[in-house]
Amino acid sequence: AKEFEKETGVKTSVVRMSGGEILTRIEAEKENTKASVWYGGPADTFIAAKEKGLLEAYVSPNAAKIPAQFKDPEGYWTGIYKGYLGFVCNGKLLKEKNIEIPKTWEDLLNPALKGQIVVANPASSGTAYTLIATLVQLWDEDRAMDYLKKLDEQIRQYPKTGSAPAQMAGMGEAMVGICFMHDGIKYYEEGYTDIVLSAPEEGTGYEIGAVGIIKNAPDLEAAKIFVDWALTKEAQELGQQYGSYQFLTNPDANPPEQAEQLKDTKLIDYDMEFAGKNRARLVEKWHEVTN
């Protein structure tokens, strides 16, 4: 936001929240919209917002560069980065307890990991919802819910934000965090060098982090300028200076070198539309099986 303000002169202030919280908030404020732009977090949540009529369509001229699979054809959201879901582990703790680094989803059910796994709460976190949508698409809904019920027995805590599990694993508060692996890179770079990354061999889901304009934006013109800027090579490359190590959607933008280690991650054919349209229902179902 500071870089944008410096470049354009548009005064910008930011409130940071998880994707689920943002969705709830813009719905609550829809008669009196306070914010103009929604920046970052999984596109599934933007799709859920589009379904509810909470976003403004805007096809930025800069969106022409962004490949079709990374944007909404009508311009309700446009992708700015891509992040892969996986396991951020504390290698030192696992070694001390003589536990193998988990390499599959099933490995997380290892009795030795009981009370040692952290994942965010999918009601507030887009990251944690990506986990549910991934498992439903990898297997089927019944098997996914059965697995999540068993996984619940292993969970130490469900924090509010998607990046918290990476930090907790890095600090040694848990052995494994389920989150986007670029968050693990961020904390490793900040000095949590016990972090080891692992991606499930069966395949994993991913997020397309998006930017979009909120319906009835108080500053619509400034919001459009922000979206145009966020899609540029220069803006996308800024992230790595500030601890964001995702892959980027603008083909001209150079991804962070630190993300290179994740490039061979086995990804499922993740269906964003399905994930977005079924968000409320699947989160509700998760609540039922884990309570």
Side-chain angles (χ1 to χ4, degrees):
K2 285 178 185 143
E3 295 279 358
F4 171 72
E5 194 171 298
K6 198 163 75 184
E7 213 166 296
T8 61
V10 176
K11 191 111 188 65
T12 309
S13 60
V14 176
V15 178
R16 192 192 184 289
M17 290 182 287
S18 288
E21 291 180 294
I22 294 172
L23 180 60
T24 303
R25 179 148 171 187
I26 61 174
E27 189 164 20
E29 291 177 352
K30 68 179 180 199
E31 302 305 325
N32 183 19
T33 308
K34 300 280 195 294
S36 299
V37 171
W38 177 357
Y39 177 82
D44 318 14
T45 324
F46 284 75
I47 291 166
K50 176 188 170 182
E51 290 280 299
K52 292 170 182 275
L54 300 172
L55 298 178
E56 186 77 48
Y58 172 60
V59 178
S60 164
N62 295 341
K65 276 233 159 194
I66 311 296
Q69 73 263 37
F70 299 144
K71 61 191 177 189
D72 177 67
E74 297 167 279
Y76 284 94
W77 58 269
T78 312
I80 43 179
Y81 62 78
K82 190 171 172 184
Y84 301 163
L85 193 70
F87 313 141
V88 175
C89 308
N90 187 301
K92 184 169 172 243
L93 284 181
L94 289 167
K95 200 171 179 182
E96 279 171 10
K97 299 286 183 202
N98 207 17
I99 303 168
E100 290 276 312
I101 290 167
K103 293 186 173 63
T104 68
W105 293 110
E106 292 298 332
D107 286 351
L108 296 183
L109 303 181
N110 178 351
L113 288 174
K114 191 176 175 70
Q116 288 297 335
I117 300 174
V118 188
V119 64
N121 186 322
S124 61
S125 160
T127 306
Y129 174 65
T130 305
L131 169 65
I132 298 176
T134 292
L135 296 173
V136 168
Q137 294 180 51
L138 178 66
W139 298 323
D140 60 51
E141 205 166 300
D142 290 343
R143 184 176 166 191
M145 290 300 159
D146 183 53
Y147 173 85
L148 288 163
K149 188 182 175 74
K150 289 176 187 160
L151 184 67
D152 181 54
E153 301 288 315
Q154 302 283 83
I155 300 295
R156 181 187 205 97
Q157 200 184 326
Y158 290 106
K160 209 160 68 168
T161 66
S163 60
Q167 187 174 25
M168 290 171 76
M171 291 168 75
E173 291 176 22
M175 291 183 187
V176 181
I178 309 171
C179 49
F180 291 120
M181 291 185 287
H182 56 253
D183 289 325
I185 297 174
K186 167 186 162 69
Y187 291 113
Y188 183 90
E189 293 286 325
E190 285 179 11
Y192 297 100
T193 52
D194 292 329
I195 283 177
V196 179
L197 304 179
S198 175
E201 289 168 358
E202 307 98 316
T204 192
Y206 57 90
E207 68 169 333
I208 294 169
V211 62
I213 297 176
I214 299 167
K215 187 91 173 156
N216 302 320
D219 292 304
L220 183 60
E221 287 317 303
K224 289 178 178 177
I225 294 167
F226 184 89
V227 172
D228 294 345
W229 175 82
L231 301 180
T232 63
K233 164 185 159 69
E234 292 73 22
Q236 291 198 4
E237 287 177 355
L238 276 176
Q240 52 204 291
Q241 295 173 35
Y242 298 96
S244 285
Y245 300 104
Q246 302 98 331
F247 294 103
L248 305 170
T249 59
N250 184 320
D252 296 342
N254 295 308
E257 280 172 27
Q258 293 91 333
E260 188 68 12
Q261 60 182 297
L262 306 177
K263 72 177 189 330
D264 296 327
T265 301
K266 183 179 177 186
L267 300 176
I268 65 167
D269 188 10
Y270 188 79
D271 184 338
M272 294 283 160
E273 284 294 317
F274 168 84
K277 289 175 177 172
N278 288 279
R279 189 179 197 283
R281 183 181 69 77
L282 289 175
V283 169
E284 184 54 42
K285 205 160 175 186
W286 174 83
H287 275 298
E288 285 166 19
V289 302
T290 56
N291 280 339

